[in-house]
Amino acid sequence: MSEGTMQRAVKRDEHDRRDQREQRARGLRRAVVCAAAVPVMLIAAGCSSDSGSGDKSADGSGGTKSSTSSSASPSPTVQAAVYKSIPDACKVLGKNTLEDLVPKAKSGKKGSSDDASTRASCSWSSLDNNGVKGSQFRWLNVSLLRFESDVTRGSGAELAQGYYETQVQDAKSVSGAKSLKSEPVAGVGDEATAVRYDLKKKEGSFKQETVVARAENVVVTLDYNGAGLAGEKTPSADTLNKLAQKAIKEVVAAVAEANDGGDAGKPSGAPSKSASKSPSGSSSKSPSGSPSKSAAKKS
């Protein structure tokens, strides 16, 4: 082989090797680019496949559900009132009892603000006129107030208990009262208190008896007073007290009877000590102008 032919062959070999190197380099660059692109594609594919899949509901309906559900707050509750009604105040005392307390009274006078479901009152006046020998005067008033349970204020029994305390305190706070005495009365509803005192009026000297009782969610206030007028002897405070306590027992029993004979003495649980100052039923004033503050409040 000639020298020129050999040189041309060497150059061809070098050219072929250079082409191969360039091809390998281009192939390597393509491999690097593809390798770098694969993770990006995988990430994009992953994001695309995840979107919306976590929002599907467990039942496969495709709807979305909140990750947390808020539980509804429980509704406030309060113990239901035991007594749902009250009797007619003018019919809570028997004929014999009325004859003992107000012997010369005719029919009772119903309160003007009576509400058949929550309040009632009735009053009786008795004047036994003995001419020049003087007269015996008696006045009786019975008021009933029923409390309904309220989720914001408390149970009916708790509200009644507060009002009961207010009535007792009012009976003890009458201006001008003398020889005041207060005592619990056993066997009447859930709690009962009798308050007695003397009160001097222009018509004469009065003996006042106020008995307040609570039976569940009903409060009964009984005001009873008597006086000897025009020189007649003043009645006995002990006698008036016994008659008043006898009468309020009948009234509390009438409340139970008006509610299908429920037990008027059944304890009401733990009553609240907070007083509820709801107005009570109205009453008629005696000729002396009712000496009891608790009676005077009823209008």
Side-chain angles (χ1 to χ4, degrees), residues 123-180:
S123 61
W124 296 261
S125 294
S126 173
L127 182 63
D128 186 6
N129 193 340
N130 296 314
V132 295
K133 295 182 179 180
S135 304
Q136 284 291 334
F137 173 78
R138 300 288 185 275
W139 179 77
L140 171 67
N141 184 82
V142 175
S143 295
L144 302 97
L145 189 61
R146 186 183 73 85
F147 292 85
E148 190 57 74
S149 296
D150 187 285
V151 293
T152 59
R153 300 171 62 208
S155 70
E158 290 173 336
L159 297 174
Q161 202 274 338
Y163 182 70
Y164 161 83
E165 291 184 347
T166 300
Q167 288 291 87
V168 172
Q169 188 58 42
D170 285 348
K172 295 178 180 179
S173 305
V174 175
S175 178
K178 304 292 184 182
S179 303
L180 189 145

Side-chain angles (χ1 to χ4, degrees), residues 19-97:
D19 288 342
Q20 290 175 358
R21 287 196 300 269
E22 289 177 355
Q23 289 176 358
R24 284 196 297 269
R26 284 196 297 270
L28 180 60
R29 286 196 295 269
R30 284 198 299 269
V32 171
V33 172
C34 290
V38 168
V40 176
M41 294 173 66
L42 290 175
I43 293 173
C47 293
S48 176
S49 63
D50 286 343
S51 62
S53 63
D55 294 334
K56 291 184 179 180
S57 59
D59 58 4
S61 62
T64 58
K65 289 185 178 180
S66 174
S67 59
T68 57
S69 60
S70 58
S71 58
S73 299
S75 300
T77 59
V78 65
Q79 184 179 1
V82 173
Y83 291 140
K84 304 299 182 182
S85 63
I86 52 175
D88 185 335
C90 291
K91 297 180 180 180
V92 293
L93 296 175
K95 181 179 179 181
N96 291 337
T97 300

Side-chain angles (χ1 to χ4, degrees), residues 181-255:
K181 181 180 179 181
S182 174
E183 61 183 3
V185 180
V188 182
D190 292 280
E191 52 191 333
T193 301
V195 180
R196 67 167 76 177
Y197 55 84
D198 298 339
L199 196 63
K200 183 72 174 180
K201 304 291 287 186
K202 63 180 182 179
E203 296 88 350
S205 296
F206 285 80
K207 298 289 185 180
Q208 172 71 30
E209 299 287 337
T210 297
V211 188
V212 185
R214 180 182 68 84
E216 292 290 355
N217 56 307
V218 175
V219 177
V220 178
T221 304
L222 185 145
D223 288 292
Y224 182 48
N225 63 53
L229 306 178
E232 180 64 282
K233 184 179 179 180
T234 300
S236 166
D238 288 339
T239 298
L240 296 183
N241 180 266
K242 290 179 181 179
L243 291 172
Q245 292 192 28
K246 173 187 176 182
I248 203 164
K249 288 179 181 179
E250 284 192 26
V251 179
V252 171
V255 172

